[in-house]
Amino acid sequence: MFAKGTKIMYGNTGVCEVMDYATPDLPGMPRGTKYYVLRPLFQSGTIYCPVEQPKVFMRPVMSREEAEELVALIPTISVEPFHTGRLQELSEHYRSIIGTHSTTDLVEIIKSVYSKKREAEAAGRRVSQMDDRYMKLAEELLHGELSVALEIPKDEVREYIRQRVKAAEAAE
């Protein structure tokens, strides 16, 4: 059970704060069931999630040390862009990777689509909307978590990563 005030990753919503526990008497919710009351940090609204047997993936936000280690690993993460002419297959590929809830896998999606974008631009084309959509989702999830772990504004995460990667490359 997560303590009040804990920041967690909640499915594809991203970072949420555990605000309270409740046993709401609302239509469609079983009586007497204890729920987390979650506040998404980068979206509006309130989420009620069962404390016992939640149906959505949840884990604590990574620590500052884990975040710094992940950023340091980014240059070493190699990816092979996934190419297919079938949008359903592409969507399933990305959904399965997002579904691991692994920060390294999120980096792989971002780097893979970035690589596909460079290939497409060189050929005078664009990547599919599906590629763009999953890259944006991966960035939202990763940047939100890094923002909280590193205690920096979310809109500064991309530059933070860029600077750290640049410094690592210069040190080699």
Side-chain angles (χ1 to χ4, degrees):
M1 192 160 147
F2 297 109
K4 289 181 188 179
T6 302
K7 306 242 182 354
I8 63 169
M9 289 301 292
Y10 180 78
N12 289 345
T13 300
V15 181
C16 292
E17 182 176 359
V18 177
M19 300 304 292
D20 205 352
Y21 311 103
T23 49
D25 187 15
L26 298 171
M29 291 181 154
R31 288 182 175 270
T33 302
K34 192 171 192 174
Y35 287 82
Y36 289 113
V37 180
L38 305 176
R39 180 182 59 86
L41 265 55
F42 303 106
Q43 298 176 24
S44 60
T46 301
I47 298 170
Y48 290 88
C49 175
V51 170
E52 298 294 324
Q53 301 176 341
K55 295 178 182 170
V56 175
F57 175 84
M58 294 188 298
R59 68 166 168 77
V61 167
M62 71 176 99
S63 68
R64 177 179 206 88
E65 294 76 27
E66 291 169 324
E68 289 172 352
E69 287 173 17
L70 176 67
V71 172
L73 276 177
I74 288 174
T76 67
I77 298 172
S78 62
V79 295
E80 190 65 39
F82 183 76
H83 294 280
T84 181
R86 297 177 42 215
L87 287 179
Q88 181 66 28
E89 192 176 323
L90 186 62
S91 177
E92 287 172 14
H93 171 75
Y94 288 136
R95 270 199 316 262
S96 70
I97 295 171
I98 293 277
T100 67
H101 303 285
S102 160
T103 52
T104 306
D105 287 349
L106 295 176
V107 171
E108 288 178 7
I109 288 176
I110 295 164
K111 287 182 78 169
S112 171
V113 175
Y114 181 75
S115 178
K116 286 174 79 170
K117 281 185 176 196
R118 284 189 305 199
E119 290 173 8
E121 285 172 6
R125 297 186 328 260
R126 301 170 81 178
V127 295
S128 73
Q129 289 179 345
M130 185 80 60
D131 287 309
D132 269 339
R133 183 172 3 139
Y134 279 99
M135 181 174 164
K136 285 183 177 124
L137 175 58
E139 285 179 333
E140 282 295 311
L141 293 170
L142 182 66
H143 292 183
E145 186 168 9
L146 287 173
S147 167
V148 171
L150 296 168
E151 299 175 341
I152 60 175
K154 186 176 173 187
D155 61 356
E156 292 178 16
V157 170
R158 184 183 314 272
E159 182 61 21
Y160 175 87
I161 292 170
R162 194 182 73 69
Q163 291 293 333
R164 293 289 302 259
V165 168
K166 187 177 175 182
E169 289 171 350
E172 289 179 0

